[in-house]
């Protein structure tokens, strides 16, 4: 694949610092991909603003305009299919994608999660980590399957938990690592370097670009 021909659709709901990291890594030449569209279920998501600033197409889909989750997911799928994206990246997208969507984009949806999965799936995960008393936490890039936060792990990064941490300080430390490993994981997919067997992801040498 020629550099920059690999098309990504990014799904967001919030401030979009991971989206920004993807944009910045494309701009500095370390990620050979193009963001075809940024889709949000929140009209005021700062992430949309970040995309517009860079001239990236944005689409807001209002969940209230659809009869249910299935119909919303179908609309989302239509937007992504219309742009023939090669990969769907969830970047702070706070809705659960239904099985129909996941099957349609099988093996082509990835997510970043702010814990070392399988520890602390779900929401408020930094607080979960603090309440449990773990000494290390981190973040995980994984393929998305039909179970929440449970798909094959692509990359993880570890950060220490300090005795003085609260959920915000821990989240900030984890976020720094998120911004490094998410674009890196995408680049590995662009380079076709991932092999999955029995849910285990292994890394190959670059075979095609
Ligand atoms: C990130 O910490 C991301 O890992 C998390 O939401 C934040 C989004 O920040 N995602 C999840 O918790 C998904 N379950 P961002 O909008 O600044 O990228």
């Amino acid at each position: 694949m020629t550099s920059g021909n690999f098309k990504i659709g990014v799904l967001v709901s919030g401030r979009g610092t991971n989206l920004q990291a993807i944009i910045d890594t494309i701009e500095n030449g370390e990620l050979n991909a193009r963001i075809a569209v940024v889709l949000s279920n929140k009209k005021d998501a700062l992430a949309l603003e970040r995309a517009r600033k860079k001239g990236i197409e944005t689409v807001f889909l209002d969940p209230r305009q659809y009869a249910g989750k299935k119909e919303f997911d179908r609309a989302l799928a239509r937007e992504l299919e219309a742009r023939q994206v090669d990969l769907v990246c969830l970047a702070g997208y706070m809705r659960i994608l239904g099985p129909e969507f996941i099957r349609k984009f099988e093996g082509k949806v990835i997510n970043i999660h702010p814990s070392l999965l399988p520890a602390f799936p779900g929401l408020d995960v930094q607080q979960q980590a603090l309440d449990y008393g773990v000494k290390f936490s981190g973040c995980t890039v994984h393929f998305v399957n039909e179970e929440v936060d449970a798909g094959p792990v692509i990359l993880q990064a570890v950060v220490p938990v300090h005795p003085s941490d609260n959920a915000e300080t821990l989240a900030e430390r984890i976020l720094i690592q998120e911004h490094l490993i998410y674009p890196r994981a995408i680049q590995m997919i662009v380079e076709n370097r991932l092999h999955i067997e029995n849910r285990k992801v292994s890394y190959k040498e670059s075979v095609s670009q």
Side-chain angles (χ1 to χ4, degrees):
M1 187 160 312
T2 317
S3 157
N5 277 354
F6 188 96
K7 280 189 265 175
I8 307 172
V10 185
L11 272 50
V12 298
S13 302
R15 72 195 155 167
T17 64
N18 275 289
L19 168 69
Q20 191 68 54
I22 295 168
I23 293 171
D24 294 347
T25 313
I26 291 172
E27 283 188 350
N28 75 22
E30 288 172 26
L31 175 53
N32 302 318
R34 179 163 78 75
I35 300 176
V37 65
V38 174
L39 293 157
S40 175
N41 63 317
K42 299 275 183 198
K43 192 168 197 274
D44 300 328
L46 180 57
L48 291 176
E49 202 42 51
R50 291 177 190 269
R52 282 187 209 112
K53 256 193 206 154
K54 295 289 179 179
I56 298 167
E57 189 184 3
T58 61
V59 177
F60 159 61
L61 291 176
D62 185 350
R64 288 169 304 185
Q65 303 290 316
Y66 298 89
K69 285 186 178 158
K70 230 186 220 170
E71 289 75 13
F72 180 83
D73 277 3
R74 281 180 188 156
L76 209 56
R78 278 196 297 275
E79 297 291 344
L80 293 161
E81 282 171 333
R83 291 161 185 87
Q84 299 181 306
V85 302
D86 299 293
L87 184 70
V88 180
C89 299
L90 313 188
Y93 182 67
M94 299 316 247
R95 279 174 72 93
I96 293 169
L97 292 163
E100 187 179 301
F101 183 98
I102 298 300
R103 269 180 241 132
K104 188 169 278 176
F105 292 92
E106 205 181 342
K108 289 182 166 187
V109 187
I110 64 172
N111 181 42
I112 178 99
H113 181 81
S115 77
L116 293 173
L117 291 171
F120 314 126
L123 297 174
D124 294 326
V125 299
Q126 294 87 358
Q127 193 58 52
Q128 284 189 54
L130 292 173
D131 292 346
Y132 195 91
V134 292
K135 304 300 179 220
F136 290 90
S137 189
C139 48
T140 303
V141 182
H142 63 93
F143 285 104
V144 175
N145 62 15
E146 290 179 32
E147 284 168 70
V148 176
D149 298 331
V153 170
I154 302 171
L155 285 178
Q156 292 184 306
V158 178
V159 307
V161 179
H162 297 157
S164 58
D165 269 333
N166 57 39
E168 286 71 37
T169 58
L170 179 57
E172 272 172 38
R173 195 173 309 119
I174 292 172
L175 204 57
I176 293 168
Q177 297 303 317
E178 292 186 38
H179 298 163
L180 296 175
I181 68 169
Y182 206 12
R184 201 174 290 159
I186 299 168
Q187 179 62 16
M188 292 177 102
I189 293 171
V190 173
E191 291 177 6
N192 195 18
R193 287 187 53 202
L194 302 185
H195 176 71
I196 312 178
E197 203 172 336
N198 296 330
R199 74 155 284 124
K200 293 189 193 104
V201 176
S202 56
Y203 313 133
K204 309 181 276 186
E205 287 305 306
S206 174
V207 279
S208 71
Q209 275 243 47

